[in-house]
Amino acid sequence: MPDRMKTISSAKSHGGVQGVYSHASDACSCEMTFAAFVPPQAREKPCPVVWYLSGLTCTHANVMDKGEYRRMAAELGLIVVCPDTSPRGADVPDEADNWQFGCGAGFYVDATQAPYATNYRMYSYVTEELPALIAREFPADMTRQAIFGHSMGGHGALTIALKNPERFKSCSAFAPIVQPSTAGWSRPAFEKYLGADEGSWRGYDATLLIEDGHRFPELFVDQGTSDGFLKDGLRPWLLEAGCAKAGIPLTLRMQDGYDHSYFFISTFMDDHLRWHAHRLSDPALGTGPR
């Protein structure tokens, strides 16, 4: 069992507590930092957990500072956990001049190639180690979990949900990389983390997971039409086609004039949290944002 978590900061917000914590990670072989907002309802009973996975170059702090999730999370009684995007530290291999790889760009995979395999195990960290810590240290109802994310984190949310449908009641994304095995800004990272055998990449590609038979009850995606990465990196129409073929209900909202930034994310954050809360309270209810 890793060392108990350390509190870096803690502040009252909307009746709840926004904290930043660190702990020694076995999965990533380094100290890892994450943020967690605990709503006021948690003083009375365990609350559902919503995981938010951030995008390239981000840490836990980007959505914590700019995502504007606390008011709605407090209203709905949701714990929101925001992991870092990669391992960090002096001993962690990196490419400092490459924002699409290394620290800040873990892509939520378990690397198999040297020298990255020791530290870059973000899939195991997000799906195993950090949930165990959250269950132990927070008033969390781990029978009710949801996951969403942005860009690289949207990719992570989709792939993790597709591979763990029994764990998550709902999954959504802001501008996700839906087919990272062919996108220019993710394909080189996949080769460095996972090796040249592209067959091993399929387990971390939402469209290919669906093609290979993985299923999730429904998905919800918001995408800005003025996103500079839309045509070359994100390509939500590939997810739309895959879901249609597989019979997975997908709500894809193309938001006119919005870009890739947190101005976009914060605008629609309330919609996503309401959508998750609706399904966390009764997963048998129908599809579409509510």
Side-chain angles (χ1 to χ4, degrees), residues 158-275:
L158 291 171
T159 57
I160 288 170
L162 284 163
K163 292 199 283 188
N164 300 274
E166 73 290 342
R167 177 181 299 187
F168 298 100
K169 305 295 185 184
S170 53
C171 174
S172 70
F174 298 102
I177 305 171
V178 305
Q179 195 175 87
S181 63
T182 61
W185 60 356
S186 46
R187 183 178 172 85
F190 271 37
E191 185 166 3
K192 292 175 185 176
Y193 287 139
L194 303 172
D197 179 9
E198 296 185 20
S200 67
W201 302 4
R202 298 183 72 88
Y204 298 108
D205 184 308
T207 61
L208 299 182
L209 283 167
I210 292 171
E211 186 177 296
D212 290 344
H214 291 264
R215 297 292 181 265
F216 200 76
E218 56 180 330
L219 300 170
F220 172 29
V221 171
D222 269 326
Q223 171 65 62
T225 62
S226 295
D227 190 322
F229 303 110
L230 175 59
K231 293 183 179 180
D232 296 328
L234 305 173
R235 302 171 296 167
W237 49 87
L238 298 177
L239 179 66
E240 188 174 36
C243 285
K245 185 175 181 179
I248 299 174
L250 167 67
T251 299
L252 172 60
R253 303 194 309 186
M254 299 300 296
Q255 302 291 2
D256 187 47
Y258 284 90
D259 61 15
H260 200 67
S261 72
Y262 269 90
F263 297 114
F264 159 61
I265 295 168
S266 62
T267 299
F268 300 105
M269 178 63 76
D270 283 3
D271 287 358
H272 283 248
L273 290 175
R274 288 193 191 99
W275 191 83

Side-chain angles (χ1 to χ4, degrees), residues 11 20 34 36 38-39 65-66 92 113 138 159 171 222 226 252 259 277:
V20 178
F34 68 95
V38 178
D65 294 343
K66 298 183 287 188
V92 175
Q113 305 300 300
F138 291 86
T159 57
C171 174
D222 269 326
S226 295
L252 172 60
D259 61 15

Side-chain angles (χ1 to χ4, degrees), residues 30-160:
C30 66
E31 191 81 2
M32 293 293 288
T33 301
F34 68 95
F37 174 73
V38 178
Q41 294 89 335
R43 292 193 291 268
E44 305 296 328
K45 61 181 180 180
C47 291
V49 178
V50 181
W51 298 85
Y52 178 90
L53 305 184
S54 291
L56 286 164
T57 75
C58 292
T59 69
H60 67 280
N62 296 73
V63 67
M64 183 180 74
D65 294 343
K66 298 183 287 188
E68 301 181 16
Y69 57 80
R70 279 172 289 273
R71 180 187 59 80
M72 184 55 63
E75 178 181 321
L76 298 171
L78 302 173
I79 294 174
V80 180
V81 180
C82 309
D84 202 347
T85 53
S86 74
R88 298 178 192 270
D91 296 328
V92 175
D94 186 25
E95 291 184 4
D97 59 348
N98 183 359
W99 64 275
Q100 298 173 343
F101 182 74
C103 291
F107 280 94
Y108 304 100
V109 306
D110 278 354
T112 58
Q113 305 300 300
Y116 308 106
T118 298
N119 301 105
Y120 288 85
R121 301 184 66 246
M122 289 301 295
Y123 179 83
S124 290
Y125 178 70
V126 170
T127 62
E128 298 174 13
E129 186 175 39
L130 188 55
L133 185 147
I134 295 297
R136 188 177 76 238
E137 300 285 351
F138 291 86
D141 181 355
M142 302 301 283
T143 68
R144 293 187 292 162
Q145 296 184 62
I147 191 166
F148 69 145
H150 170 230
S151 193
M152 178 184 73
H155 137 74
L158 291 171
T159 57
I160 288 170

